Amino acid sequence: MDGRDLVRSVSVVGSGRAARGLLTMRAAWRRRRADAAGLPRRGVERARVPGQVQGAEPGPGGGLIRFGRSELRITVAVNGAVFWGWDGAGPQPSYALVGAGLEPDPRAVLEPDKDGGWRVVAERVTVVVSRHGAVQVCTPGGVMLRRDLPPRWWEPVGGGPARWTQRSEVAADARFFGLGGRAAGPRLRDGAYRLWNTDPGRAFGPGDDPLHLTMPVQLVVADAGTHLVFHDTTWDGTVVLREGEEGYGSGHDRAGRCEVRMDGGPLRCWAMVGTPARVLYTWAALTGAPAVPPAWALGHQHARWGLGGEQEVRRVVTGHQERGLPLDAVHLGTGHYADQRVFTADPERFAKLPVLAEELRRDGIRLVSAVEPAVRAEPGNAVYDSGSAVDAFVRDAAGRSVRGVTRAGESVYPDFTHARVRKWWGGLYEERLEQGFAGFWHDMDEPTSFNAFGERTLPRSARHALEGRGGDHREAHNVYALCMARAGYEGLRELSPKERPFVFSRSGWAGMQRYGGTWSGDVATGWPGLRASLSLVLNLGLCGVPYSGSDVGGRDGSPSPELYLRWLQLGAYLPLFRTHAGPHAGRGEPWEFGAEVLEHARAALLERRRLLPYFVTLARLARRTGAPYVRPLWWGAPEDRALRDCGDAFLLGDGLLVAPVLDPGAGRRAVRLPRGRWYDTATEQSYEGPARVVVDAPLSRIPVFARAGAVLPVRGADDGLELEVWAPPQGRTGGGLVVADAGDGWEEPEIERYVARRQGRRVVVGREREGGAGEPPCPVRVRGLG
């Protein structure tokens, strides 16, 4: 404990919360003492590399290559994904994958290559392994996309997990994306990015890293092609990126570089090659189809930290209704619990929750409950008592319950890496359903434990089941929230089998889309925070998590009217659209910012409601294809370098391009348009891309463009389905997909395909069906003919 730690401890104790300050000091000492006793000392380490190739054994989809000091198993799956694992590592066990995760491609054969190496040639990818253990991923035409140099391990002489480093090279023009939720980006510039889910303990901005949700998933875009790489280990690590440079030094290119450093875990990797759509489709096939949120969860949701009581909830709802502001859900933070006891609502402030929930549901509004993993360690607390009875809580190396400090006070933590514990926890949601809640917001699930040293996690020596394998928190930390989301999702499926669960989490890991989505967490109030929220959503989508959003207005202050409005206008086009107010957010309802903001906010909220059928379609398509709702501008043209560098606009599905205003005082903004014709949806003026155009961005709206030929499902004036068709160019055709809202159940609705044809001054729209085209079953409105 150094001087800074002591000062921090004293400040906590003397801040007016002396009791919690003393608890956090005690938790800090316990954590450090537990780690000192429970973690093995690394001591002297021995470095190792694979050595020279010794031989190979072909097998289904690839085979086993033996080196002097290691072995490499490589397999190409039928969907084109490539797996390789060192030192006997296989695809399973894995928290990211669904099922076996791998069906070998019988056409892919391991065969000798030049200079004593080996190669596997498949339909979509060629993999070349050098005689020293370098692994090269190439296009079918042989163009290199990525070259992993021979890895290096550092093994403790006295035994224990080895740490390892994998260095890679990519093309000089390549750009990096992904790595989970990153506030900087979406293009990831040169620097180090930590792979450790972290509660920063304060509002964050673009310069902060790591954040709540990290994952070792990189999407790399270059002229030669796009590829995704996933290093499947859950341990703490760091990814160091350095972009390349063309014509660097005597006209030679400098390759881009990536270095992955992991503190432990298997060295195994997945790679997939193709267009961005193909890559994300393959990734979803490996890690699971994204959950489809209920239709109401694609509307406007509003959160308050505590919402003082039932009357305040009604006040907020009435305020929206009287001002004509659409509202689909109200979120109650953990402040609505009795003494912060999870699953126990305050009986004085929320005496008739089921009655309140039923009243709101009749008005089309659902209640969403915040749930934290920490359980107050207090005999008589029903959750603590039932969890103790089934031995649900994490223990340390000596067998004692691990205790931390949260808003609830001294707390214990369920071990969600145990199937029995997930079953127990999932059953607890019955109480929430009986109270009338329709959705669940998982918070503080990194997991977070306050202490006086600024550390906000459990001891690394804490023991976890890890599905029967056994291990400690170094391996379990990054998947803790993923397993909690699984527990909630599976419990809700069993408790309410006719309705799709709605779960979204602050933290998570690769594969979390199977159980729901996420939101930005405590993003800072300010224009940098607004920009960071867009970066988070874009990169999460490229990592396979299509449903995400941010808290409109930020978390730590009272936004200016202009900032609030611009944030709300952006949020109206993000998958999770949530406004937020409470003790940390200051003002949060649109009418608190003045009449002008209220008018423009109403327009944005009504436009979101009008586009709800489009969001429903995007949600269904995401489940079937893995494509995110929110896509970077280069999604359909990754070879366009100008689009790769554009991070201030995005595509919403195939049909819309959204250009939010991210700077104060802007009345106009420049927009980069991809190839094709685009219509300004406010003026219907057309523009030809690729181009950079400057358009008006008054306070009343942000620029939104529609692709020529797009067929968009929208809500009509009578609240029925309507097709909005943007005229294709003369002599050209367009089209779109529509998936009707099938309610909140499990029915898989049919995908409807529509084609729009330009015939002189007319646009003819037909529905593609077996046996020929048919008339659309709903009204059609054509735009862009002026």
Side-chain angles (χ1 to χ4, degrees), residues 135 155 160 319 342 412 501 582 603 642 667 754:
V135 179
E155 299 168 327
V342 67
V412 291
Y754 292 91

Side-chain angles (χ1 to χ4, degrees), residues 10-183:
V10 172
S11 68
V12 170
V13 174
S15 66
R17 288 179 281 181
R20 180 175 294 177
L22 291 171
L23 286 175
T24 60
M25 289 180 64
R26 187 168 67 175
W29 284 114
R30 277 201 306 246
R31 180 187 187 279
R32 295 199 172 186
R33 188 168 61 247
D35 283 348
L39 289 178
R41 298 181 181 275
R42 294 201 68 88
V44 179
E45 295 180 321
R46 180 187 298 110
R48 172 170 63 90
V49 295
Q52 288 269 14
V53 67
Q54 303 292 312
E57 296 179 9
L64 182 68
I65 305 174
R66 290 194 174 89
F67 295 85
R69 290 177 290 277
S70 186
E71 63 182 28
L72 172 68
R73 180 171 298 280
I74 184 166
T75 307
V76 178
V78 292
N79 60 12
V82 181
F83 169 82
W84 65 89
W86 289 94
D87 290 350
Q92 294 289 357
S94 170
Y95 278 104
L97 306 187
V98 292
L102 184 66
E103 181 183 350
D105 184 351
R107 300 168 297 176
V109 178
L110 181 67
E111 59 188 25
D113 193 46
K114 59 184 179 181
D115 298 328
W118 295 82
R119 68 176 181 177
V120 180
V121 180
E123 180 182 3
R124 300 192 186 105
V125 65
T126 297
V127 184
V128 180
V129 182
S130 77
R131 60 193 177 96
H132 294 290
V135 179
Q136 190 165 292
V137 179
C138 306
T139 67
V143 179
M144 186 199 80
L145 296 176
R146 187 183 195 92
R147 182 171 183 263
D148 279 7
L149 303 177
R152 182 180 295 260
W153 295 266
W154 285 267
E155 299 168 327
V157 172
R163 58 189 180 93
W164 52 264
T165 295
Q166 175 69 73
R167 296 182 175 91
S168 307
E169 295 177 348
V170 297
D173 68 285
R175 296 292 181 260
F176 297 98
F177 301 86
L179 295 182
R182 302 289 167 171

